[in-house]
Amino acid sequence: MTDGKDDAEAALDVLGDVARGWFAQAFPAGPTPAQRLAWPAIASGENVLLISPTGTGKTLAGFLAIVDRLLREHEAGELKPGLRCVYVSPLRSLGYDVEKNLSVPLRGVQRLMGLAKCPVRVGVRTGDTSAYERRKHREGPPHILITTPESLSLLLSQAGWADHWAGVSHLVVDEVHALAATKRGADLAISLERLADASGAEPTRVGLSATCRPPDPVARFLVGPSRSCRIVEAPRPSGSQPLEIAVESLLRPGEGPHRGLTYRRLLRRIRQVVGENRTTVVFANSRPMTEKVAHDLRNEPPRRGEAGRAFDGETEVAVHHSALDATRRRLVEEDLKAGKLRAVVTSTSLELGVDVGTADLTVQIGLPGGVARCVQRIGRSGHHVGGRARGLILAATAAEVAAAAVTARAARAGAIEPLRPVASPLDVVCQQLIGMACTGETSVDAAYALLRKAGPTADLGREDFLACLDFLAGDLSGPSGAFEPEPGATPRWTAPRIWKRNGWFGVRNRRVQRWFWSNVGTINAEESAAVVADGASIGTVEGAYAERLSPGDRFVLDGRTLEFRRLEGLVLHAKLVGGEAGALPVWHSDRQSLSTELAAELAALRCEASRRSTCDGPDAFRAWLAATLDLDARAAEVVAELIEAQDRWSETPGVDSLLIEEFPTPLEPGWTYAFHAPLNRSASEALGRAVSARLGRRFGRDATFQAADLGWTIRLPDDVRIDEADLAEIASLDRLADDVLEGVDRGELAARRFRHVASTAMMVLRNPEPGKRVRVGGMNWVSTRLYPLVKAACPDHPLLRETRREILHDVLDVPAALRWLETRPTIRLRRLTAPSPFATAWIAPGGDEPMQYDSPADALRRLHARMTAAAGGSS
Amino acid sequence: MNPDDAACHPHEGWLLSPEGAAIRPEAATAVVADVHLGYEWARGAAGDCIPAHSLAETRARLERLLARGGIRRLIVAGDLVESPRPCARTAADVARLGDWLAARGVDLVVTLGNHDRSLAASPRPPAIRPSECVAGWTVQHGDRPRVGERAVIGHHHPIFRASGLASPCYLVGPSLIVLPAFSANAAGLDVVGGATPAAWADAGLRCVVAAGEGLLDFGPIATLAERLRPAAARVD
């Protein structure tokens, strides 16, 4: 469905004289392909999804047609004050960026028209907007409002804004591909329906997206099931070159993985490329790693052999992530665009559209977590005309090299993973229902119909919907016998949010409204503590982390070393100190997972590599690796060694077999089992949990479980061992989904996800009523106490349903596991004396999750017995 | 008059029960601490929508305790309720608890804790004392300077954490007994890793952990972390 008149003239003709005149002056080269395709489409009044790579003039592509219309109304004397266009972006900084970019044409147009003030007014509303600005907007809204999904939800729930939506004719959603597959996007989609409903007309929707394949799910997300959407795909501007991505190994051939060593080399390599380029953006996958790298880049003196300081760490290296103070973040973005920074180290916050100006290289530490991410991140560089996006992936282990190579190959080919939309998340529905209730009395049927018009909730079941209303009204009943017989025997719920009567519902009181306004949003950071040092606010750290610190402990934030002083409630008081930051953060690429396709590709590659290693001899093998994966000799050597080692010690698993390797658990009594399968992390975790459940039932003992791409490990206690006879049952297709669920319930995953679900649905408030926060209970109360209480009170609570759905569909990939099991892979069990190279490489130790099959009392008794025995007698 | 001694842990004339009560058989008295009734209403006032549970859980646990027999008086060593501010629902729960105990022939006495500010002003308050003496031990909350030679206190919610396991525990010495929180909602003072108050350094405290139907003596807290290390099932 891709079409568009690729004709500059036709596009410019669509614009009125003023806009055209300004554009011709400002951009004599003419409109970009994105602009040429977008303007006629938008002017036609159809909903449009514009797909275009970054840096191709999307802002103007999206906006100029709309601004032009307003200008023409002004010329005809018809432009009245009032909101006409709402522009939504997922990042606060992106919003400010757009405002700045918009001000260029608006000022230009104003000058052309010889006016003192631009007739088209623009305003920005985010969490950072001051109270004064907010009031000004409410009293006299601008023509174009730039905002975030959370702020939009807030505005829609305020009576003071109720009349402002009537004139809205256009809705623009930027970076829509980043929203389409998330709960945040689902929240936005529902807000857009509420906006459309409040406007009384059907505003035209414009979506701006980076490349996504296929585009149809994103279009459906934007407009919902009942509307049509024109998909306009702009090619890269002619003369632009494909992505250049290099993969390097930080390990040398013959070395085993060693964090300290690879980290030092990582730093050295980064320092080197920062020196060789004007501006480098460095992506580290976790916040601790981001901070550590930034800190060391700023402070460490050059090593022997390095030619002095190529850049000034203090002023030219910065950190950027979402836990930093907003003002600080903005400063960094400004400096970056002005070319004042040589390096910015970030976790993910710079991934999306913020124009980073002069970056000419992107460095990725470890795996980027998917092809789409890889393309997005590397696309951060080379934005100047004639520039080329260049990326460098630094891999710390042989497994990482292989995975990075496969990802880079797919990125160069533009083979982006298809998006998996989120289906009817009930926690988001609950939050939106509270929002609707805050706006005013709402009809139950009308609310349901509205929800079904939004893409993500198009298939929302009526029963689920009514259960959400019951929860919010405090009407949920439990199973009979669950509670003591008492007058009004159904469990009472504290603080119901809405009243519900005769087919209508509304907010119960002003208190609930305040709770909604202070807690709106779905980006669920863990509970965080604000860090204050020397009177200045630095940023935040995870609450759980803050609780573990003792006075004198050091940590890094904003690239600076801080010393913990005390924790008062949720404020962490610290002192700025110089010097060593402390332990190395854990390296592994965290939650970053390969896609289903890439995992299968990687597994097939391993097999092929093993075959060539055996048949073709070492030199030909290495040459083939280097050619196929586009690796330098060192990286190819490192991968080759891994394959050869695995073939010596064990075997390379075929794609049609499940290889189980048994080895004694390092440092403890007992056996560990590494399972190798051609499945990505989500599918491995699904199958692995089912296997855990089966082993748990079989032996009745606690196990520890860890999943990764291409496999998982299960550690069993010392007197338990898997037998050949157990194998058939382990991989049986029977009851797979049930066993996955059981495996989930035995671990901590469900309780952890429930915490986020409870927060999004506003069952538990992240920002409680001021002065009433309950301190007894601690940070884990929701997972350890509330989750079992809710399960007992109401096993079919909508939030429990949502937790299960999220786990089975978003976190785990049960269908992929099932599909592979249906091919009836052969099961091979090998007993080894030590972990195999593949087990060590692919399924890293640490971060494993205990699965409880033992009762806690038994486990305590066993611990006590061991302690007594170790002390050599009774204590 | 037949407390089931088998599951209880004896200490200086007291019997420590797995439910979290210190029982003095000759005085037919059981002492618990930190019940935090009405926890859910306090969370509700802060904005959370959660199921009411504290009265039901408290009664279920007391039921198991009273089944041991021989208890005619229950002393709550402070923090019977969660909310220091007046709360009608909490007051109603307190009254219900009092009635329930009275129906079983048990008198309820409360020594005030830092959360109990509004307890005296509630419509049907329980008997309230600043402290209560039982067999030479002074039962008090533990948030204020200690009264008396030998004390039974609450307030600190001691918890034993090791190898991914966690369980409330007693800390017991020749002249001090620190009771675990009776309420499951109380996050705990980690006796293995955390810093215990300096005042306890000389109290010779041992850690006795509740484990299902029984109790396990884990020995002196001063050496607890060290002794657990070789026994730990995973490197934490």
Side-chain angles (χ1 to χ4, degrees), chain A residues 484 492 494 497 763 776 864, chain B residues 39 47-49 52 59 185 217:
Chain A
E484 305 234 323
R492 291 174 298 161
T494 65
R497 281 85 169 85
M763 175 185 245
V776 173
H864 186 254
Chain B
Y39 182 81
D48 296 342
C49 178
R59 287 204 301 222
N185 285 320
D217 184 350

Side-chain angles (χ1 to χ4, degrees), chain A residues 258-261 263-264 288-289 292 296 581-587:
Chain A
H258 183 289
R259 278 199 312 171
L261 182 62
Y263 181 75
R264 282 199 291 281
M289 182 61 104
K292 176 80 177 148
D296 291 340
L584 278 175
V586 177
W587 181 284

Side-chain angles (χ1 to χ4, degrees), chain A residues 170-183:
Chain A
H170 285 84
L171 300 172
V172 182
V173 181
D174 203 343
E175 305 288 352
V176 63
H177 62 285
L179 290 166
T182 65
K183 285 195 177 185

Side-chain angles (χ1 to χ4, degrees), chain A residues 634-873:
Chain A
R634 173 159 128 180
E637 178 65 33
V638 160
V639 176
E641 282 182 352
L642 175 63
I643 306 282
E644 287 166 350
Q646 175 71 8
D647 285 339
R648 262 198 314 273
W649 273 97
S650 169
E651 66 189 61
T652 298
V655 293
D656 51 1
S657 73
L658 173 66
L659 172 66
I660 308 176
E661 292 169 333
E662 174 202 83
F663 52 88
T665 307
L667 301 178
E668 281 172 32
W671 300 100
T672 299
Y673 293 87
F675 295 74
H676 300 271
L679 301 171
N680 71 349
R681 189 203 197 100
S682 318
S684 286
E685 197 168 337
L687 188 48
R689 284 184 186 269
V691 172
S692 272
R694 291 166 179 176
L695 290 174
R697 274 201 306 269
R698 165 94 181 71
F699 296 116
R701 300 291 302 284
D702 282 357
T704 10
F705 169 78
Q706 188 181 13
D709 285 316
L710 301 181
W712 65 92
T713 56
I714 297 178
R715 196 165 16 125
L716 292 175
D718 46 22
D719 38 338
V720 175
R721 206 170 180 182
I722 295 182
D723 208 60
E724 290 282 345
D726 300 317
L727 295 183
E729 203 222 308
I730 284 178
S732 127
L733 272 168
D734 236 18
R735 296 186 33 144
L736 181 66
D738 291 326
D739 286 340
V740 172
L741 269 176
E742 195 192 313
V744 167
D745 283 338
R746 296 284 179 179
E748 296 161 352
L749 179 60
R752 277 204 317 265
R753 294 316 308 168
F754 177 77
R755 188 155 81 186
H756 293 274
V757 167
S759 186
T760 301
M762 295 185 174
M763 175 185 245
V764 172
L765 301 183
R766 245 174 304 131
N767 299 315
E769 178 84 12
K772 301 256 172 93
R773 181 190 291 272
V774 172
R775 287 180 205 286
V776 173
M779 302 222 170
N780 284 325
W781 186 81
V782 177
S783 331
T784 48
R785 281 283 294 157
L786 183 59
Y787 179 53
L789 279 173
V790 173
K791 278 200 287 191
C794 183
D796 208 26
H797 196 286
L799 298 189
L800 294 177
R801 285 188 225 174
E802 172 57 23
T803 306
R804 275 194 296 273
R805 184 209 67 79
E806 192 184 289
I807 292 174
L808 287 180
H809 293 112
D810 298 347
V811 179
L812 305 179
D813 192 350
V814 176
L818 196 55
R819 273 195 307 269
W820 183 65
L821 266 192
E822 281 168 352
T823 66
R824 310 238 174 252
T826 35
I827 308 173
R828 298 179 50 71
L829 173 64
R830 282 196 99 123
R831 302 196 197 265
L832 307 172
T833 53
S836 73
F838 272 16
T840 326
W842 257 284
I843 310 168
D848 50 13
E849 182 179 325
M851 312 282 272
Q852 291 214 303
Y853 291 95
D854 232 344
S855 76
D858 284 336
L860 265 173
R861 271 190 274 275
R862 247 190 278 278
L863 173 63
H864 186 254
R866 273 201 304 272
M867 181 191 77
T868 316

Side-chain angles (χ1 to χ4, degrees), chain A residues 81-98:
Chain A
L83 191 55
R84 300 296 303 277
C85 169
V86 176
Y87 168 102
V88 184
S89 95
L91 280 186
R92 289 178 197 178
S93 44
L94 181 55
Y96 288 110
D97 216 48
V98 166

Side-chain angles (χ1 to χ4, degrees), chain B residues 198-218:
Chain B
W200 295 357
D202 306 321
L205 294 176
R206 303 173 69 83
C207 174
V208 177
V209 180
E213 295 291 301
L215 294 145
L216 298 164
D217 184 350
F218 271 80

